Amino acid sequence: AAELASQHEAGLAHTAALRYYVEGARGALGHFAPLEAIDLTSHALILLDRCPEGPERLELEFALVSVRAMACSQQFGLVSTEGDIAYRRALELCEILPLTPDRAQVLGGLAWMYYSRADYDNSLQVSLRMKSLSRAHDDAVLDVAACCLLGAINRMRRNYIEARGHLERGLTLCKALGDKIPAAAFVAERDRGAAQRADA
């Protein structure tokens, strides 16, 4: 995908190039190469000004910054400045574009960033927004992400019964989903092998 992106860029087909840069960055992230994803998105974001303004350009920017945010969180940490900048821009774009369940996944990274900074009020606000969206769209993956956050936040606030309720619901949903949970839905991918060994 990165090679196709560079070919389109050389041909001045910048919009097509950006689509392939997004694909390349997602592929890098899926192969545990966050630094490569950061490099690809850094270059691709420079090309945005060469694309005509409009919804398609905003969609491409959101795709780039959402992948970049997760990559920065993995490479530099959840409280990194790089991740913060990318997540905040993604949130700005979420206010402009229709907030679909797939797009709402970026809210999870933002909520975990707040949580890591002990900013539980903002983390809770974003998590409740995710929960509301998961119900509105009947999206189990988004519900799992919200349950994890709400369980962690309530545990830190010593609301143990409420925390347990959220975590148990999340576990039930995970079991039902099995391997259908996309890795991109979460800032940190679980070690499936380790989980299977623990179950054994």
Side-chain angles (χ1 to χ4, degrees):
E3 291 179 8
L4 286 169
S6 64
Q7 290 294 322
H8 280 85
E9 183 181 348
L12 303 182
H14 296 117
T15 301
L18 287 176
R19 291 194 202 101
Y20 282 112
Y21 277 125
V22 169
E23 186 180 333
R26 285 175 177 162
L29 203 58
H31 287 87
F32 306 101
L35 190 57
E36 183 178 343
I38 292 168
D39 289 341
L40 288 171
T41 54
S42 294
H43 179 75
L45 287 167
I46 296 171
L47 300 180
L48 272 175
D49 289 338
R50 302 179 189 178
C51 297
E53 292 186 9
E56 186 176 19
R57 174 170 153 176
L58 291 173
E59 293 276 4
L60 288 167
E61 184 182 2
F62 178 82
L64 288 166
V65 295
S66 60
V67 175
R68 180 178 180 81
M70 188 170 290
C72 286
S73 295
Q74 292 180 2
Q75 183 68 27
F76 306 118
L78 270 170
V79 296
S80 65
T81 301
E82 296 89 347
D84 181 65
I85 291 170
Y87 275 122
R88 289 185 186 279
R89 179 55 183 162
L91 184 60
E92 289 173 2
L93 292 167
C94 278
E95 302 299 336
I96 300 170
L97 297 165
L99 193 54
T100 62
D102 286 344
R103 198 170 286 144
Q105 294 295 347
V106 75
L107 298 177
L110 183 67
W112 281 116
M113 185 183 73
Y114 285 137
Y115 176 86
S116 299
R117 293 175 174 175
D119 185 353
Y120 301 128
D121 288 339
N122 275 322
S123 185
L124 179 62
Q125 183 180 358
V126 176
S127 302
L128 290 172
R129 187 177 179 188
M130 292 170 63
K131 188 72 172 177
S132 177
L133 283 164
S134 74
R135 288 174 177 167
H137 293 276
D138 192 24
D139 189 280
V141 174
L142 191 58
D143 199 356
V144 168
C147 285
C148 291
L149 281 155
L150 291 168
I153 294 164
N154 280 286
R155 180 181 60 82
M156 292 303 292
R157 289 184 160 179
R158 299 184 180 181
N159 301 325
Y160 298 122
I161 294 175
E162 190 172 350
R164 179 173 176 169
H166 287 299
L167 293 172
E168 286 181 340
R169 174 173 172 78
L171 287 170
T172 300
L173 289 168
C174 275
K175 186 175 181 180
L177 286 166
D179 289 332
K180 295 178 182 177
I181 300 178
F186 301 93
V187 174
E189 166 67 332
R190 67 190 177 112
D191 182 343
R192 296 182 187 274
Q196 290 170 354
R197 290 192 295 273
D199 289 342

